[in-house]
Amino acid sequence: MPELWYSAAPEYESKSSKSIIHRFVVKGHTGLTINPYQGCQHRCAYCYATYEWAPEFYDRIYAKINAAEILEKEMASWKHGEIDPVMISSATDPYQPAEIRYGLTRKCVQVLQKYNAPYYVFTKSAIIERDLKLHARYRHNCFIVWSITTCSEKIRRAVEPGTPPANRIFDVIRKFSDAGVCCGVNVDPIIPLVTDNDSELQRVVDCCKEAGVSNVFGAILRLRTDIWERMKMTFKILGLDVVEQYKQIFRFEEPLDANYVSADSSYQDRTLGRLKSMILERGMSFDFPKHICPKNIDKSCLGQTSLLSYVS
Ligand code: SF4
């Protein structure tokens, strides 16, 4: 059995937070985000939120137990003018299994709605179905995005073993789109030599169309020292011998000791160009919807779950 990047069943722990709504910074642009949890049970090998080799991120989930109360105070005393759309969440999945036990995301959404704040949710979960009515009654002012990497169960089990199968997620998306909620899919990350071929991408985009998704976008995997180590484990699980090709696509030598390494720009242009054509051919938008896009952000950053560094 190959080495894995997580250990046992996750443990849950409660903690109190002093603040919950944070400003994040990407490429010099800013936005607002809330993270009701710290850590994530979805266990994606490519997760950008781990920051370092930290099995604890996947195995110990902290619930910020006073998140909604703090958010209520912060919203009641908001002094920064009109509120920019709030991202839920930038560094965890707000609808990971812990949400069934704690319900913190639901409570935070209720507070945002009370203060008429626009929000967009990034999730890989089907648990959000529990809150369908809550989001549907606020559909004029929210946007729900599911990050879907692959329709292949074999790949999903290897790369993001804590997430539900894509067909389960698409069933939930269908319910949201039938209820009039603006639904997006973020094909992120596109994993070179694993999920970047035409048939893989077309399966995802076709399912988006069938589920009533209006906005689809994506991003190519980026590597960092810890992410590269985990990706090599997934290659072993999948029986793929692609390390040398990765060194060419990402132009690095081992050991990889870097903050972030992007794929070669010609690879990126080619792959995202193919994805964009597939999306547009099917009559969907390759962008954020206008009614919810944060004003001051580089939109190319928004298709990347959990890569955002946020500052309090
Ligand atoms: S990528 Fe997102 S869903 Fe996956 S482990 Fe990281 S925070 Fe969780």
Side-chain angles (χ1 to χ4, degrees):
M1 181 75 182
E3 192 190 350
L4 295 172
W5 55 95
Y6 52 91
S7 49
E11 290 178 11
Y12 296 133
E13 214 171 286
S14 300
K15 68 185 248 186
S16 292
S17 286
K18 291 191 177 135
S19 62
I20 193 71
I21 191 156
H22 293 144
R23 226 164 247 293
F24 63 73
V25 182
V26 180
K27 295 183 185 173
H29 298 268
T30 65
L32 296 171
T33 186
I34 59 174
N35 287 281
Y37 301 96
Q38 183 182 321
C40 186
Q41 195 177 339
H42 284 159
R43 300 175 154 175
C44 308
Y46 50 75
C47 183
Y48 300 113
T50 52
Y51 292 106
E52 57 186 17
W53 183 258
E56 182 178 287
F57 180 84
Y58 302 104
D59 292 337
R60 185 173 294 274
I61 313 300
Y62 293 95
K64 299 177 187 174
I65 207 73
N66 61 342
E69 290 75 23
I70 296 293
L71 183 61
E72 170 78 43
K73 280 187 194 153
E74 290 173 334
M75 296 303 294
S77 60
W78 189 257
K79 292 188 179 73
H80 311 290
E82 190 186 344
I83 191 158
D84 214 20
V86 178
M87 175 190 272
I88 315 168
S89 297
S90 65
T92 185
D93 193 310
Y95 282 100
Q96 62 175 296
E99 173 63 11
I100 296 172
R101 178 185 296 205
Y102 296 100
L104 299 177
T105 298
R106 181 182 176 85
K107 288 181 193 160
C108 287
V109 166
Q110 287 168 334
V111 173
L112 291 175
Q113 291 188 357
K114 177 180 165 189
Y115 287 91
N116 203 26
Y119 63 83
Y120 51 105
V121 176
F122 269 106
T123 183
K124 288 176 180 289
S125 178
I127 292 168
I128 192 173
E129 185 177 2
R130 182 201 63 190
D131 291 347
L132 171 57
K133 281 189 186 155
L134 177 69
H135 294 296
R137 78 178 183 212
Y138 201 70
R139 56 186 174 270
H140 61 286
N141 216 8
C142 70
F143 177 43
I144 312 295
V145 186
W146 284 265
S147 293
I148 297 179
T149 312
T150 177
C151 287
S152 157
E153 268 302 275
K154 182 180 171 196
I155 298 172
R156 182 195 66 77
R157 284 197 198 107
V159 174
E160 43 187 36
T163 61
N167 60 4
R168 171 78 183 103
I169 296 179
F170 279 116
D171 284 347
V172 173
I173 295 177
R174 179 80 258 173
K175 290 178 185 169
F176 273 74
S177 59
D178 285 349
V181 178
C182 187
C183 296
V185 163
N186 177 26
V187 189
D188 181 18
I190 299 169
I191 305 172
L193 310 172
V194 179
T195 63
D196 63 346
N197 58 73
D198 275 354
S199 61
E200 263 294 323
L201 293 176
Q202 266 163 8
R203 270 176 83 188
V204 174
V205 176
D206 282 339
C207 288
C208 290
K209 182 68 184 168
E210 282 164 24
V213 172
S214 56
N215 298 70
V216 188
F217 30 86
I220 310 288
L221 174 72
R222 296 195 303 159
L223 295 179
R224 204 177 51 198
T225 307
D226 61 314
I227 295 170
W228 177 231
E229 293 306 316
R230 295 193 297 268
M231 289 311 299
K232 283 192 286 188
M233 294 179 197
T234 68
F235 299 154
K236 276 193 190 148
I237 296 168
L238 290 166
L240 295 173
D241 180 14
V242 292
V243 169
E244 289 308 315
Q245 287 162 278
Y246 261 67
K247 283 158 63 175
Q248 287 169 13
I249 293 171
F250 287 86
R251 297 185 189 282
F252 71 93
E253 291 297 330
E254 296 232 59
L256 174 61
D257 183 15
N259 198 7
Y260 277 109
V261 181
S262 298
D264 173 63
S265 59
S266 63
Y267 171 87
Q268 296 214 40
D269 292 347
R270 221 173 34 247
T271 308
L272 291 177
R274 281 190 289 124
L275 177 66
K276 182 176 179 180
S277 302
M278 291 174 196
I279 293 162
L280 298 181
E281 277 162 15
R282 288 159 180 78
M284 297 178 286
S285 171
F286 183 68
D287 203 351
F288 245 57
K290 289 196 173 46
H291 76 285
I292 208 77
C293 193
K295 296 178 201 68
N296 298 316
I297 194 156
D298 174 350
K299 284 187 275 182
S300 69
C301 304
L302 284 171
Q304 302 174 32
T305 315
S306 301
L307 65 82
L308 306 164
S309 59
Y310 63 89
V311 290
S312 53

